[in-house]
Amino acid sequence: MSGNLEKVLEFVSMKFMCCSAPATEARGCLAAAFRASWECFSLWIQLDVGPATWLWDELAPVSGQGKNTFGGWAATLVDSLDTLWIMDLKEDFYVAAAAAAQLDWANTTETAVNLFETTIRHLGGLLGAYDLSGEKALLEKATELGDMLYMAFDTPNRLPGFWLDFDKAKQGVQVAGFNDPAAAPCSLSLEFTRLAQLTGDSKYFDAVSRVTDFLEQAQGASKLPGMWPKLINFRDERVDTEIGFTIGALSDSLYEYLPKMALLLNGQSPRYENMYRTAAGVIKTHILFRPMLPDSDSHNHILFAGDAYVHADRIDHVPEGQHLSCFAGGMFGLGGKLFGIPDHVAIRERLARGCGWAYAAFPTGMMPEIFNMMACDSLDGPCPWDEHRWQKHGDQQLKKGIVNTRDPRYILRPEAIESLFLLYRMTGKEDLRDVAWRMFQDIMAKTQTPFANSAIANVTVRGETEKLDSMESFWMSETLKYFYLMFSPPDLISLDEFVFNTEAHPFRQAVR
């Protein structure tokens, strides 16, 4: 085993030599970073454990072991297919695609699978790779999976549960959840719609349309009309029992998919635009916040997305930023341009730059999962710095304006670079590349392991970081892809031709 380990470590060392190069060569460094992670995943597993574990879901980047987290259906391999194609690693792509084409969805030790995660990673990954390569075997495999996942909609009201339970599906006794995350059943539309477009089988689109029908009917019935709560009673089709609202965890991609569905359908259905406009107006009023920063801080125009809790006599606005919420800059940018809403076009930049600021605000140069800030009373207008309030409530070890880090981890997430990439493609502002390059360098400096890159426990530390031995598949599917595209020509995965699902898989838009 030691000989094989030396081969892998030697490979990583070669691949990262270029990363001391100036930012003008950033694209090559990003490709090298991806290839190092990919080769460590594939070479280490194949050399030291055997070809069967090539189909493990993830590489544990500290211990060098493999682990299954999503049914044992090669999540990292499938999730990385289109990234391999985009970075012109065609030989690796065809080897991986051949393995993906032979996946057996019946071969799992699990009794149920996460419907949302399997849809965005596996179904999305196969569809994105097919849209780029035209390899029919990938579409056939996607159709197999789509048919299996389609069974999750076999409930009394045709709304799926959080889990696709195999035995319950066989017995025909599935029911929708009564306290499920809003995003889970409501973020399947892009994948099933694209599958319907490619196969010509409308059953997939019909399935997700039932969920859209529910969303449309329920949008005005929640405690914060216009938004859907974090948790929804899908079984009884009620949205009026939960008081919490966010565009972060539990809800994020529900909102993300509204303008993206309008784009994928070429605007043929106005309801996605209508729902987006209504939700975005409430988000601007009750969810977005402007952090209070010292008057000398040139970034005092930035925005973040927080939470709202609706009580009988008041609405509590909580200025809690989440890394997951950083997708909002891209959402407002796409919605603003697509539907001609100038105000949203302006908001997109303030949100995207806010997440860029948050990376630089912490000692490691990375944004935590969740953190709280002092907030201004409004999104615009005067917001004088309150030193007394900061001394009383703020974490004196952190940058002024930050109150605490409720979850200080960085888990290799993509949402910040996603919005910065989309903002750059929409505006062409070159300073955004400088922000992205700094982010990438800090991430590599603090997450690199002998095998690849790892989530870290605490972004507030100075010096060596604690590695968590986790590298989720979105590191290669999303984070490194968006960084790479940030420094690529605009015709590589053009936004005029493709729409990204929430796992960064590019779906080709139907010909207008």
Side-chain angles (χ1 to χ4, degrees):
M1 183 173 290
S2 60
N4 289 329
L5 175 59
E6 289 175 5
K7 292 178 184 177
V8 173
L9 295 181
E10 180 183 1
F11 183 86
V12 175
S13 175
M14 288 192 308
K15 291 301 171 187
F16 280 119
M17 286 195 325
C18 80
C19 287
S20 61
T24 53
E25 299 179 17
R27 191 179 179 204
C29 291
L30 286 155
F34 171 83
R35 192 166 185 196
S37 288
W38 172 256
E39 293 290 354
C40 280
F41 166 74
S42 58
L43 286 178
W44 170 255
I45 285 175
Q46 291 185 86
L47 286 170
D48 289 278
V49 192
T53 51
W54 163 249
L55 301 182
W56 261 336
D57 286 330
E58 294 175 12
L59 168 71
V62 176
S63 62
Q65 303 300 306
K67 57 183 178 180
N68 284 329
T69 49
F70 296 108
W73 293 322
T76 293
L77 183 148
V78 175
D79 232 1
S80 300
L81 286 172
D82 49 36
T83 311
L84 288 165
W85 185 274
I86 288 167
M87 293 190 182
D88 201 29
L89 299 172
K90 297 298 196 303
E91 183 177 345
D92 295 88
F93 170 83
Y94 283 111
V95 171
Q102 296 186 40
L103 286 170
D104 181 356
W105 308 117
N107 183 17
T108 179
T109 59
E110 304 294 334
T111 59
V113 292
N114 184 314
L115 177 62
F116 167 72
E117 295 290 357
T118 307
T119 297
I120 66 168
R121 299 187 195 223
H122 291 86
L123 183 57
L126 291 166
L127 291 172
Y130 171 75
D131 262 341
L132 293 180
S133 69
E135 286 298 319
K136 292 183 179 179
L138 296 175
L139 180 57
E140 292 171 358
K141 187 56 58 174
T143 305
E144 280 182 15
L145 178 58
D147 286 338
M148 183 184 81
L149 299 177
Y150 177 77
M151 297 305 298
F153 294 86
D154 183 20
T155 66
N157 63 357
R158 297 297 184 260
L159 298 181
F162 185 83
W163 298 99
L164 170 57
D165 185 296
F166 301 135
D167 285 340
K168 289 182 179 180
K170 291 176 183 177
Q171 296 167 23
V173 295
Q174 296 178 105
V175 292
F178 61 86
N179 195 40
D180 280 357
C186 301
S187 304
L188 314 173
S189 52
L190 275 178
E191 295 79 8
F192 276 80
T193 298
R194 188 58 186 146
L195 183 59
Q197 290 174 337
L198 290 170
T199 62
D201 192 335
S202 62
K203 73 177 184 182
Y204 306 114
F205 182 67
D206 177 69
V208 290
S209 292
R210 307 290 183 100
V211 181
T212 307
D213 291 342
F214 163 70
L215 287 176
E216 191 174 34
Q217 294 161 9
Q219 188 169 20
S222 71
K223 292 183 181 295
L224 192 61
M227 289 187 69
W228 301 271
K230 297 178 182 180
L231 299 168
I232 293 178
N233 181 347
F234 290 98
R235 189 175 306 175
D236 299 319
E237 299 186 33
R238 295 186 60 182
V239 295
D240 59 351
T241 57
E242 166 67 30
I243 69 169
F245 295 81
T246 185
I247 60 171
L250 305 179
S251 298
D252 48 354
S253 46
L254 183 166
Y255 298 95
E256 175 191 353
Y257 273 20
L258 296 177
K260 289 185 173 183
M261 275 297 292
L263 187 60
L264 187 63
L265 292 172
N266 289 329
Q268 294 176 3
S269 175
R271 61 181 179 167
Y272 297 102
E273 177 182 349
N274 295 337
M275 285 191 287
Y276 168 80
R277 284 179 176 272
T278 301
V282 181
I283 290 168
K284 180 184 175 184
T285 301
H286 291 289
I287 299 297
L288 302 187
F289 70 90
R290 177 184 172 195
M292 179 185 290
L293 300 175
D295 298 335
S296 59
D297 195 319
S298 62
H299 295 87
N300 56 19
H301 61 288
I302 58 176
L303 298 176
F304 291 94
D307 291 355
Y309 293 88
V310 182
H311 304 279
D313 59 343
R314 71 188 190 282
I315 299 177
D316 291 335
H317 299 101
V318 181
E320 182 169 86
Q322 297 184 36
H323 200 296
L324 274 169
S325 301
C326 282
F327 83 92
M331 179 190 73
F332 272 93
L334 180 58
K337 285 186 70 71
L338 196 60
F339 307 133
I341 312 174
D343 182 41
H344 293 192
V345 173
I347 287 173
R348 71 180 179 188
E349 184 155 355
R350 298 175 69 184
L351 284 165
R353 289 188 182 276
C355 291
W357 174 90
Y359 268 69
F362 289 91
T364 54
M366 284 169 284
M367 180 180 178
E369 277 285 281
I370 304 174
F371 65 104
N372 287 82
M373 300 193 72
M374 291 166 50
C376 299
D377 293 331
S378 66
L379 302 186
D380 299 289
C383 181
W385 172 250
D386 188 335
E387 182 68 22
H388 174 73
R389 182 178 165 194
W390 160 248
Q391 292 291 337
K392 183 178 180 180
H393 299 290
D395 186 333
Q396 305 303 302
Q397 303 302 312
L398 299 176
K399 195 176 182 70
K400 286 190 173 185
I402 300 173
V403 175
N404 62 53
T405 51
R406 190 162 71 81
D407 184 345
R409 296 174 301 152
Y410 173 70
I411 62 171
L412 307 175
R413 282 205 186 276
E415 293 80 13
I417 185 58
E418 171 188 353
S419 279
L420 287 167
F421 156 69
L422 291 171
L423 179 60
Y424 176 72
R425 281 285 180 93
M426 293 176 187
T427 67
K429 294 183 178 180
E430 284 297 326
D431 71 297
L432 295 168
R433 282 181 162 176
D434 296 332
V435 175
W437 180 243
R438 185 204 68 228
M439 289 167 56
F440 170 69
Q441 289 182 308
D442 287 337
I443 290 170
M444 295 306 298
K446 299 298 184 179
T447 68
Q448 195 172 338
T449 75
F451 300 106
N453 296 80
S454 173
I456 65 171
N458 193 338
V459 301
T460 70
V461 301
R462 290 170 171 79
E464 187 65 27
T465 56
E466 179 189 350
K467 311 299 191 299
L468 297 177
D469 205 17
S470 172
M471 186 181 79
E472 288 207 45
S473 64
F474 54 64
W475 167 244
M476 288 193 279
S477 169
E478 298 186 72
T479 308
L480 289 176
K481 180 188 296 167
Y482 282 129
F483 271 116
Y484 183 80
L485 290 174
M486 185 81 179
F487 294 92
S488 299
D491 60 350
L492 181 61
I493 315 299
S494 168
L495 298 185
D496 293 327
E497 299 175 12
F498 292 90
V499 57
F500 290 95
N501 87 330
T502 195
E503 195 75 4
H505 297 304
F507 297 165
R508 195 176 296 275
Q509 298 174 36
V511 178
R512 290 179 173 82

